[in-house]
Amino acid sequence: MIEVLSSSALATVQDPGRTGSLRWGVGTSGAMDKLALAAGNLMLGNDADAAAIEVPVFPFKLRFGEDCAFALTGADCAARLDAQPLMPWWAHQARAGQVLTLGLPQGGAQRGSRAMVCLAGGVDVPVVLGSRSTQLRGAFGGHEGRALRRGDVLRAAGAGRACATGFGLVPPALTLPLQVDGVPAVRVLPAAEYQGFEEASRAAFWAGEWKITAQSDRYGYRLAGEALRPLAAMEMRSHGIVPGVIQVPHSGQPIIQMRDAQPSGGYPKFGTVIEADLWRLGQAPIGSRIRFVETSWDEAVAALDEVQAWLDKVGRLVELHRSAPRKN
Protein backbone atom coordinates (compact mmCIF):
# COMPACT_ATOMS: atom_id res chain seq x y z
CA MET A 1 0.00 0.00 0.00
CA ILE A 2 1.11 3.59 -0.56
CA GLU A 3 -0.24 6.74 1.05
CA VAL A 4 -0.32 10.09 -0.76
CA LEU A 5 1.20 12.84 1.41
CA SER A 6 0.67 15.78 -0.98
CA SER A 7 -2.29 18.03 -1.66
CA SER A 8 -3.12 19.83 -4.92
CA ALA A 9 -0.51 18.01 -6.99
CA LEU A 10 -3.11 17.12 -9.65
CA ALA A 11 -1.62 13.62 -9.76
CA THR A 12 -3.85 10.96 -11.31
CA VAL A 13 -3.85 7.23 -11.93
CA GLN A 14 -3.31 6.58 -15.65
CA ASP A 15 -2.70 3.58 -17.90
CA PRO A 16 -2.16 3.55 -21.71
CA GLY A 17 -5.71 4.83 -22.24
CA ARG A 18 -9.35 3.94 -22.75
CA THR A 19 -9.74 2.74 -26.34
CA GLY A 20 -12.94 1.71 -28.09
CA SER A 21 -15.27 4.12 -26.29
CA LEU A 22 -15.18 7.18 -28.54
CA ARG A 23 -18.43 6.07 -30.19
CA TRP A 24 -20.12 6.50 -26.81
CA GLY A 25 -18.70 9.98 -26.33
CA VAL A 26 -15.99 8.82 -23.91
CA GLY A 27 -12.48 10.20 -24.47
CA THR A 28 -9.28 8.17 -24.34
CA SER A 29 -7.62 9.64 -21.22
CA GLY A 30 -4.40 7.75 -20.41
CA ALA A 31 -0.83 8.82 -19.71
CA MET A 32 0.30 12.06 -21.35
CA ASP A 33 3.68 10.37 -21.88
CA LYS A 34 2.79 6.80 -22.85
CA LEU A 35 6.44 6.05 -23.65
CA ALA A 36 7.47 6.78 -20.05
CA LEU A 37 4.64 4.58 -18.77
CA ALA A 38 5.52 1.73 -21.14
CA ALA A 39 9.19 1.85 -20.17
CA GLY A 40 8.40 1.88 -16.45
CA ASN A 41 6.13 -1.14 -16.81
CA LEU A 42 8.80 -3.01 -18.78
CA MET A 43 11.42 -2.28 -16.13
CA LEU A 44 9.21 -3.81 -13.42
CA GLY A 45 7.94 -6.75 -15.45
CA ASN A 46 4.38 -5.38 -15.34
CA ASP A 47 1.65 -6.02 -17.88
CA ALA A 48 1.65 -3.47 -20.68
CA ASP A 49 -1.72 -2.09 -19.51
CA ALA A 50 -0.67 -1.60 -15.88
CA ALA A 51 -1.55 1.77 -14.36
CA ALA A 52 0.85 4.22 -12.72
CA ILE A 53 0.71 7.60 -11.01
CA GLU A 54 1.19 10.59 -13.32
CA VAL A 55 2.52 13.64 -11.48
CA PRO A 56 2.37 17.08 -13.20
CA VAL A 57 2.76 19.43 -10.20
CA PHE A 58 5.59 19.37 -7.69
CA PRO A 59 6.66 18.69 -5.00
CA PHE A 60 4.88 15.37 -4.60
CA LYS A 61 5.26 12.91 -1.72
CA LEU A 62 4.04 9.43 -0.92
CA ARG A 63 4.79 6.87 1.79
CA PHE A 64 5.26 3.16 1.18
CA GLY A 65 3.25 1.06 3.61
CA GLU A 66 5.07 -2.14 2.61
CA ASP A 67 8.13 -3.22 0.66
CA CYS A 68 7.62 -2.40 -3.01
CA ALA A 69 9.70 -2.10 -6.17
CA PHE A 70 9.05 1.01 -8.25
CA ALA A 71 10.38 2.82 -11.31
CA LEU A 72 10.67 6.54 -11.94
CA THR A 73 10.32 7.67 -15.55
CA GLY A 74 9.32 10.83 -17.36
CA ALA A 75 10.61 14.13 -15.99
CA ASP A 76 13.77 14.12 -13.85
CA CYS A 77 12.46 15.48 -10.56
CA ALA A 78 15.49 15.22 -8.27
CA ALA A 79 13.71 12.39 -6.46
CA ARG A 80 14.65 11.19 -2.98
CA LEU A 81 13.74 8.09 -0.99
CA ASP A 82 13.90 9.45 2.55
CA ALA A 83 17.22 11.36 2.31
CA GLN A 84 18.75 9.24 -0.47
CA PRO A 85 18.86 10.82 -3.97
CA LEU A 86 17.42 8.63 -6.72
CA MET A 87 18.31 8.33 -10.38
CA PRO A 88 15.57 9.08 -12.92
CA TRP A 89 14.57 6.39 -15.42
CA TRP A 90 15.66 3.82 -12.85
CA ALA A 91 14.16 0.84 -11.01
CA HIS A 92 14.33 1.15 -7.21
CA GLN A 93 13.33 -0.79 -4.11
CA ALA A 94 11.44 0.84 -1.24
CA ARG A 95 10.99 -0.52 2.26
CA ALA A 96 7.91 -0.14 4.40
CA GLY A 97 7.74 3.33 5.95
CA GLN A 98 10.02 5.06 3.45
CA VAL A 99 8.90 8.35 1.85
CA LEU A 100 9.36 9.14 -1.83
CA THR A 101 9.70 12.84 -2.65
CA LEU A 102 9.63 14.30 -6.17
CA GLY A 103 11.05 17.82 -6.45
CA LEU A 104 10.97 20.35 -9.27
CA PRO A 105 11.83 18.98 -12.74
CA GLN A 106 15.50 19.28 -13.73
CA GLY A 107 17.30 19.03 -17.03
CA GLY A 108 17.60 22.41 -18.75
CA ALA A 109 16.67 22.09 -22.44
CA GLN A 110 15.68 18.46 -21.85
CA ARG A 111 13.42 19.34 -18.91
CA GLY A 112 10.13 17.45 -18.80
CA SER A 113 6.91 18.35 -17.06
CA ARG A 114 5.42 15.05 -15.87
CA ALA A 115 6.86 12.22 -13.81
CA MET A 116 5.55 8.67 -13.83
CA VAL A 117 5.69 6.63 -10.61
CA CYS A 118 5.30 3.01 -11.71
CA LEU A 119 4.73 0.38 -9.01
CA ALA A 120 5.36 -3.36 -9.10
CA GLY A 121 2.24 -4.95 -10.58
CA GLY A 122 0.72 -1.54 -11.32
CA VAL A 123 -1.69 0.60 -9.30
CA ASP A 124 -4.62 -1.63 -8.37
CA VAL A 125 -7.82 0.30 -9.08
CA PRO A 126 -11.02 -0.94 -10.78
CA VAL A 127 -11.19 -1.29 -14.56
CA VAL A 128 -13.90 0.98 -16.02
CA LEU A 129 -14.74 0.66 -19.73
CA GLY A 130 -11.58 -1.35 -20.28
CA SER A 131 -9.14 1.02 -18.56
CA ARG A 132 -7.89 2.11 -15.15
CA SER A 133 -7.24 5.66 -16.38
CA THR A 134 -8.79 8.62 -14.58
CA GLN A 135 -11.42 10.46 -16.65
CA LEU A 136 -11.59 13.79 -14.85
CA ARG A 137 -14.43 15.29 -16.90
CA GLY A 138 -16.64 12.24 -16.38
CA ALA A 139 -15.41 11.70 -12.81
CA PHE A 140 -14.79 7.98 -13.23
CA GLY A 141 -11.87 5.59 -13.48
CA GLY A 142 -8.61 5.83 -11.58
CA HIS A 143 -9.07 6.52 -7.86
CA GLU A 144 -12.67 7.65 -7.38
CA GLY A 145 -12.59 9.46 -10.72
CA ARG A 146 -10.52 12.36 -9.40
CA ALA A 147 -7.01 13.67 -8.80
CA LEU A 148 -5.20 12.20 -5.83
CA ARG A 149 -5.11 14.10 -2.55
CA ARG A 150 -3.48 13.86 0.84
CA GLY A 151 -4.49 10.75 2.72
CA ASP A 152 -5.45 8.64 -0.29
CA VAL A 153 -4.26 5.05 -0.02
CA LEU A 154 -3.53 2.98 -3.13
CA ARG A 155 -2.55 -0.65 -3.52
CA ALA A 156 0.33 -1.86 -5.67
CA ALA A 157 -0.79 -5.13 -7.25
CA GLY A 158 2.72 -6.59 -7.03
CA ALA A 159 3.89 -5.19 -3.68
CA GLY A 160 6.28 -7.64 -2.04
CA ARG A 161 6.95 -9.37 -5.36
CA ALA A 162 10.60 -9.97 -6.18
CA CYS A 163 11.67 -7.54 -8.90
CA ALA A 164 15.02 -6.79 -10.45
CA THR A 165 16.05 -3.26 -9.40
CA GLY A 166 19.18 -1.14 -9.38
CA PHE A 167 19.31 -0.48 -13.13
CA GLY A 168 18.05 2.17 -15.48
CA LEU A 169 17.63 3.48 -19.02
CA VAL A 170 18.81 6.36 -21.16
CA PRO A 171 15.71 8.57 -21.54
CA PRO A 172 14.07 8.67 -24.98
CA ALA A 173 14.51 12.46 -25.08
CA LEU A 174 18.24 11.70 -25.46
CA THR A 175 18.03 8.60 -27.65
CA LEU A 176 15.19 9.85 -29.90
CA PRO A 177 15.89 13.61 -30.03
CA LEU A 178 13.86 15.96 -32.24
CA GLN A 179 14.63 19.68 -32.34
CA VAL A 180 14.58 22.54 -34.83
CA ASP A 181 17.16 25.28 -34.23
CA GLY A 182 17.52 24.09 -30.64
CA VAL A 183 13.76 24.17 -29.93
CA PRO A 184 11.88 20.92 -29.15
CA ALA A 185 9.73 19.85 -32.08
CA VAL A 186 6.91 17.48 -32.99
CA ARG A 187 5.88 16.15 -36.38
CA VAL A 188 2.50 17.10 -37.83
CA LEU A 189 0.32 15.78 -40.65
CA PRO A 190 -1.73 18.48 -42.44
CA ALA A 191 -5.44 17.87 -41.75
CA ALA A 192 -8.74 18.27 -43.61
CA GLU A 193 -9.06 22.08 -43.49
CA TYR A 194 -5.34 22.84 -43.91
CA GLN A 195 -5.75 24.18 -47.44
CA GLY A 196 -8.55 26.48 -46.21
CA PHE A 197 -5.98 28.75 -44.51
CA GLU A 198 -3.97 31.54 -46.12
CA GLU A 199 -0.65 30.49 -47.65
CA ALA A 200 1.20 32.95 -45.39
CA SER A 201 -0.43 31.40 -42.32
CA ARG A 202 0.48 27.90 -43.43
CA ALA A 203 4.09 29.00 -43.90
CA ALA A 204 4.16 30.77 -40.52
CA PHE A 205 2.90 27.65 -38.76
CA TRP A 206 5.94 25.65 -39.84
CA ALA A 207 8.48 28.48 -39.60
CA GLY A 208 7.59 29.97 -36.22
CA GLU A 209 7.91 29.05 -32.58
CA TRP A 210 4.74 28.45 -30.58
CA LYS A 211 4.37 29.09 -26.87
CA ILE A 212 2.39 26.65 -24.71
CA THR A 213 0.23 29.04 -22.70
CA ALA A 214 -0.96 28.79 -19.11
CA GLN A 215 -4.43 27.88 -20.48
CA SER A 216 -3.15 24.36 -21.15
CA ASP A 217 -3.83 21.07 -19.38
CA ARG A 218 -4.64 17.41 -20.01
CA TYR A 219 -7.64 18.49 -22.13
CA GLY A 220 -5.71 20.61 -24.58
CA TYR A 221 -2.70 22.87 -25.17
CA ARG A 222 -3.56 26.44 -26.18
CA LEU A 223 -0.74 27.98 -28.18
CA ALA A 224 0.35 31.56 -28.76
CA GLY A 225 2.01 32.69 -31.97
CA GLU A 226 1.18 34.31 -35.29
CA ALA A 227 -2.58 33.98 -35.82
CA LEU A 228 -3.64 31.45 -38.45
CA ARG A 229 -6.06 33.13 -40.87
CA PRO A 230 -8.58 31.22 -43.00
CA LEU A 231 -9.21 32.15 -46.63
CA ALA A 232 -12.88 32.53 -45.70
CA ALA A 233 -14.93 32.01 -42.58
CA MET A 234 -15.45 28.28 -41.91
CA GLU A 235 -18.62 27.19 -40.15
CA MET A 236 -18.55 23.48 -39.40
CA ARG A 237 -20.73 20.92 -37.71
CA SER A 238 -19.22 19.08 -34.76
CA HIS A 239 -17.19 16.08 -35.89
CA GLY A 240 -14.99 13.42 -34.33
CA ILE A 241 -11.55 14.38 -33.03
CA VAL A 242 -8.76 12.50 -31.27
CA PRO A 243 -5.68 13.46 -29.20
CA GLY A 244 -3.14 15.26 -31.35
CA VAL A 245 -5.64 17.10 -33.57
CA ILE A 246 -4.80 20.80 -33.96
CA GLN A 247 -7.93 22.94 -34.19
CA VAL A 248 -8.06 26.65 -34.94
CA PRO A 249 -10.78 28.72 -33.22
CA HIS A 250 -11.85 32.20 -34.36
CA SER A 251 -8.88 33.79 -32.53
CA GLY A 252 -6.47 32.07 -34.91
CA GLN A 253 -4.45 30.68 -31.99
CA PRO A 254 -4.27 26.86 -32.31
CA ILE A 255 -5.43 24.33 -29.71
CA ILE A 256 -3.89 20.86 -29.64
CA GLN A 257 -6.23 18.21 -28.27
CA MET A 258 -4.57 16.16 -25.54
CA ARG A 259 -5.40 12.92 -23.69
CA ASP A 260 -8.52 14.17 -21.90
CA ALA A 261 -9.92 15.87 -25.01
CA GLN A 262 -13.61 15.57 -25.72
CA PRO A 263 -14.33 13.21 -28.65
CA SER A 264 -15.96 15.84 -30.91
CA GLY A 265 -15.49 19.47 -31.87
CA GLY A 266 -16.49 22.01 -34.51
CA TYR A 267 -13.36 24.10 -35.13
CA PRO A 268 -11.39 23.65 -38.39
CA LYS A 269 -8.63 21.03 -38.22
CA PHE A 270 -5.27 22.44 -39.32
CA GLY A 271 -3.12 19.39 -38.60
CA THR A 272 -2.52 16.41 -36.34
CA VAL A 273 0.52 15.71 -34.16
CA ILE A 274 1.55 12.16 -35.04
CA GLU A 275 0.98 9.44 -32.44
CA ALA A 276 4.73 8.74 -32.21
CA ASP A 277 5.38 12.30 -30.97
CA LEU A 278 2.53 12.79 -28.50
CA TRP A 279 4.85 11.79 -25.64
CA ARG A 280 7.14 14.70 -26.56
CA LEU A 281 4.21 17.10 -26.41
CA GLY A 282 3.03 15.58 -23.12
CA GLN A 283 6.40 16.45 -21.55
CA ALA A 284 6.56 20.03 -22.89
CA PRO A 285 6.32 22.42 -19.90
CA ILE A 286 3.77 25.21 -19.68
CA GLY A 287 5.42 28.40 -20.91
CA SER A 288 7.93 26.56 -23.11
CA ARG A 289 8.11 26.86 -26.89
CA ILE A 290 7.78 24.19 -29.54
CA ARG A 291 8.24 23.90 -33.31
CA PHE A 292 6.27 21.90 -35.85
CA VAL A 293 7.74 19.75 -38.62
CA GLU A 294 5.59 18.83 -41.60
CA THR A 295 5.58 15.09 -42.22
CA SER A 296 3.95 12.47 -44.43
CA TRP A 297 1.87 9.39 -43.70
CA ASP A 298 4.79 7.08 -44.49
CA GLU A 299 7.10 9.08 -42.23
CA ALA A 300 4.51 8.98 -39.43
CA VAL A 301 4.30 5.18 -39.68
CA ALA A 302 8.11 4.93 -39.71
CA ALA A 303 8.23 7.07 -36.56
CA LEU A 304 5.91 4.62 -34.78
CA ASP A 305 8.25 1.79 -35.82
CA GLU A 306 11.18 3.77 -34.38
CA VAL A 307 9.42 4.14 -31.03
CA GLN A 308 8.54 0.44 -30.96
CA ALA A 309 12.16 -0.44 -31.77
CA TRP A 310 13.25 1.62 -28.75
CA LEU A 311 10.76 -0.21 -26.52
CA ASP A 312 11.92 -3.57 -27.91
CA LYS A 313 15.48 -2.62 -27.04
CA VAL A 314 14.37 -1.67 -23.52
CA GLY A 315 12.70 -5.06 -23.17
CA ARG A 316 15.91 -6.85 -24.19
CA LEU A 317 18.05 -4.80 -21.82
CA VAL A 318 15.67 -5.48 -18.92
CA GLU A 319 15.69 -9.21 -19.67
CA LEU A 320 19.49 -9.24 -19.76
CA HIS A 321 19.61 -7.52 -16.37
CA ARG A 322 17.13 -9.97 -14.85
CA SER A 323 19.07 -12.98 -16.15
CA ALA A 324 22.49 -11.69 -15.08
CA PRO A 325 24.03 -13.62 -12.14
CA ARG A 326 23.78 -11.79 -8.81
CA LYS A 327 26.71 -11.30 -6.46
CA ASN A 328 26.18 -12.56 -2.93
Side-chain angles (χ1 to χ4, degrees), residues 54-81:
E54 179 182 282
V55 184
V57 177
F58 306 90
F60 177 77
K61 290 186 178 183
L62 60 82
R63 179 186 291 114
F64 291 91
E66 55 191 325
D67 294 358
C68 185
F70 67 99
L72 297 177
T73 59
D76 175 1
C77 298
R80 302 190 312 276
L81 189 61

Side-chain angles (χ1 to χ4, degrees), residues 42-114:
L42 280 170
M43 293 167 74
L44 295 172
N46 292 346
D47 292 339
D49 62 352
I53 300 173
E54 179 182 282
V55 184
V57 177
F58 306 90
F60 177 77
K61 290 186 178 183
L62 60 82
R63 179 186 291 114
F64 291 91
E66 55 191 325
D67 294 358
C68 185
F70 67 99
L72 297 177
T73 59
D76 175 1
C77 298
R80 302 190 312 276
L81 189 61
D82 290 340
Q84 178 185 357
L86 300 180
M87 292 285 290
W89 290 85
W90 205 267
H92 305 279
Q93 178 67 49
R95 301 301 178 191
Q98 289 190 298
V99 173
L100 173 66
T101 302
L102 303 183
L104 295 176
Q106 313 291 304
Q110 299 294 338
R111 181 168 62 96
S113 63
R114 288 174 172 82

Side-chain angles (χ1 to χ4, degrees), residues 223-234:
L223 307 181
E226 184 173 333
L228 303 179
R229 298 181 297 273
L231 292 169
M234 285 186 265

Side-chain angles (χ1 to χ4, degrees), residues 117-136:
V117 181
C118 302
L119 306 175
V123 179
D124 188 8
V125 293
V127 175
V128 181
L129 292 177
S131 172
R132 293 180 172 85
S133 285
T134 308
Q135 225 290 354
L136 292 172

